[in-house]
Amino acid sequence: MKKASFTFLCRLTAPAVFSLYKGSMLRGTLGRFLQKACCAVRSQSCDTCLLADHCAFPMLFSGRIAQDSEARIHLPAPYCLEPCDTGRSAYESGETFSFHLTLFSYAIDYLPYFVQAFMLAGRHGMGRHDETVRGTFELVDILYEGRSVFHPEEKKVDIPSGEDLPLPLWRPEFDGNGTLAVNLITPCRFKSGNRLSADLPFRQLLILILRRIRALWALDGEQAEYEKFHAMMARADDVETVENGLFWRDWTRYSSRQQASMQLGGIQGSVRYHGCLEAFVPFLALAECAHIGKQTNFGLGQISFEWIADEEDSRIAVRHIAADYY
């Protein structure tokens, strides 16, 4: 599995009023203008278009459709948007804003489509529109691993090969005890027992991570299954929640396609676990860059974590060497 993360730097050319949570706004903007960048038959909907199965737009924005022996399977959207600032809505002309775009698998090769979409969005405006607020902007630069890949004068963008996102290995021999502190940066939405849940025992967190792994690896046509799944779950069941600072956060987004407001809530905050957790560190490391739960392409389900081994099990001191466990 390949991934590539980009930072889009933008400068406003008119006043703007953006959503407080910009992930939904960015995703809606991407959908509108990515379709304009890709579509050759603009008078039809994708549902009735002859070219839909061969068009870049649906497979980039909504995800590919795969066919197995029994049914058509809808694969996840191969991107994730992360706004860099939330909680602020009003901006003046000349101010800057930025966001991160992570592309997975085949989507990396289609980077120019995403760039064109946001360039079109800049010309037409983003956010709330009226006579005094237009939200137009120019795309100033695009950074990949700290270097520019955008050449606006030449109307070109460098397409990197991306970096390998290795499949986390289940290593039961890593049986050190310690504390795992998990921070849910953006609301995390998931169902437990067919209902939206506000609780996050470690077993549920691991299930969310494994679901995300299966979905992402399916983009490459691979099955990411773990033979010792039941052993993983048994160890996860023994992990104790020692501090729970999670809370439910509701927020509202407006869907221009459905022309309706939608209530999208999720759990946010922090939670601390303790137990035999060392073998799970690489799974948390993957979740940091891939997000978990529903609406990950909005930027929901963004997490960070810190792993601190107990003193008597101090083979690893902190989470940042998790790569050694792949």
Side-chain angles (χ1 to χ4, degrees):
M1 167 65 61
K2 293 278 190 178
K3 83 167 184 75
S5 296
F6 306 90
T7 300
F8 282 60
L9 305 176
C10 307
R11 181 184 298 113
L12 286 159
T13 56
V17 176
F18 293 156
S19 305
L20 289 177
Y21 180 71
K22 299 176 181 61
S24 173
M25 177 192 68
L26 289 167
R27 191 256 188 180
T29 298
L30 175 63
R32 177 184 174 190
F33 292 103
L34 185 62
Q35 186 173 31
K36 291 182 180 295
C38 298
C39 186
V41 187
R42 298 186 180 180
S43 60
Q44 289 182 290
S45 71
C46 294
D47 295 335
T48 59
C49 181
L50 179 67
L51 305 179
D53 289 340
H54 304 279
C55 177
F57 172 67
M59 75 172 186
L60 291 178
F61 185 65
S62 303
R64 277 176 172 166
I65 301 295
Q67 182 75 47
D68 68 5
S69 58
E70 298 180 356
R72 285 161 63 90
I73 301 172
H74 194 173
L75 302 182
Y79 67 90
C80 183
L81 287 159
E82 292 180 2
C84 290
D85 61 331
T86 59
R88 183 186 176 195
S89 58
Y91 292 79
E92 297 297 329
S93 178
E95 288 194 82
T96 60
F97 68 94
S98 60
F99 60 90
H100 301 305
L101 171 69
T102 298
L103 301 179
F104 300 99
S105 184
Y106 62 86
I108 298 173
D109 292 333
Y110 290 85
L111 173 63
Y113 285 87
F114 290 89
V115 175
Q116 178 67 14
F118 282 110
M119 290 177 66
L120 288 173
R123 295 174 202 156
H124 290 81
M126 183 168 64
R128 194 181 75 191
H129 290 247
D130 60 33
E131 293 182 358
T132 60
V133 177
R134 299 196 310 276
T136 56
F137 63 90
E138 59 180 347
L139 184 56
V140 176
D141 206 353
I142 302 170
L143 303 180
Y144 173 71
E145 295 185 340
R147 63 179 178 84
S148 175
V149 295
F150 185 47
H151 310 286
E153 299 84 3
E154 304 170 22
K155 296 185 179 179
K156 291 184 179 179
V157 60
D158 300 329
I159 304 176
S161 58
E163 59 186 279
D164 289 322
L165 189 62
L167 181 69
L169 301 178
W170 171 243
R171 304 284 296 275
E173 65 271 23
F174 290 114
D175 56 1
N177 287 282
T179 298
L180 186 69
V182 178
N183 182 30
L184 276 62
I185 301 169
T186 58
C188 180
R189 290 172 55 83
F190 62 92
K191 286 187 176 181
S192 178
N194 209 32
R195 293 184 178 182
L196 289 171
S197 179
D199 194 20
L200 192 63
F202 186 76
R203 177 190 177 95
Q204 181 63 64
L205 175 62
L206 180 60
I207 288 173
L208 292 176
I209 295 173
L210 294 178
R211 285 177 184 169
R212 183 63 168 155
I213 289 172
R214 293 190 189 104
L216 286 178
W217 262 254
L219 294 174
D220 285 347
E222 300 179 17
Q223 289 188 343
E225 302 290 344
Y226 290 90
E227 294 182 358
K228 298 183 178 180
F229 174 80
H230 293 294
M232 295 169 66
M233 291 297 108
R235 185 176 293 189
D237 283 335
D238 291 334
V239 173
E240 180 185 6
T241 301
V242 294
E243 182 179 335
N244 190 343
L246 298 174
F247 59 91
W248 185 265
R249 179 184 176 189
D250 275 318
W251 62 285
T252 304
R253 70 176 292 261
Y254 180 79
S255 172
S256 56
R257 183 175 64 87
Q258 300 182 35
Q259 295 187 344
S261 294
M262 304 171 62
Q263 199 75 14
L264 293 177
I267 56 174
Q268 205 167 346
S270 61
V271 58
R272 293 172 68 88
Y273 306 101
H274 185 268
C276 185
L277 283 157
E278 186 179 13
F280 296 110
V281 170
F283 293 85
L284 271 293
L286 182 137
E288 271 195 328
C289 66
H291 296 218
I292 56 173
K294 296 178 176 294
Q295 281 89 31
T296 53
N297 51 354
F298 287 21
L300 297 190
Q302 182 182 3
I303 74 167
S304 65
F305 78 97
E306 182 179 9
W307 157 250
I308 303 174
D310 289 348
E311 187 174 352
E312 62 270 23
D313 293 310
S314 57
R315 283 179 295 176
I316 62 174
V318 291
R319 54 61 109 209
H320 67 255
I321 59 171
D324 295 341
Y325 285 69
Y326 287 106

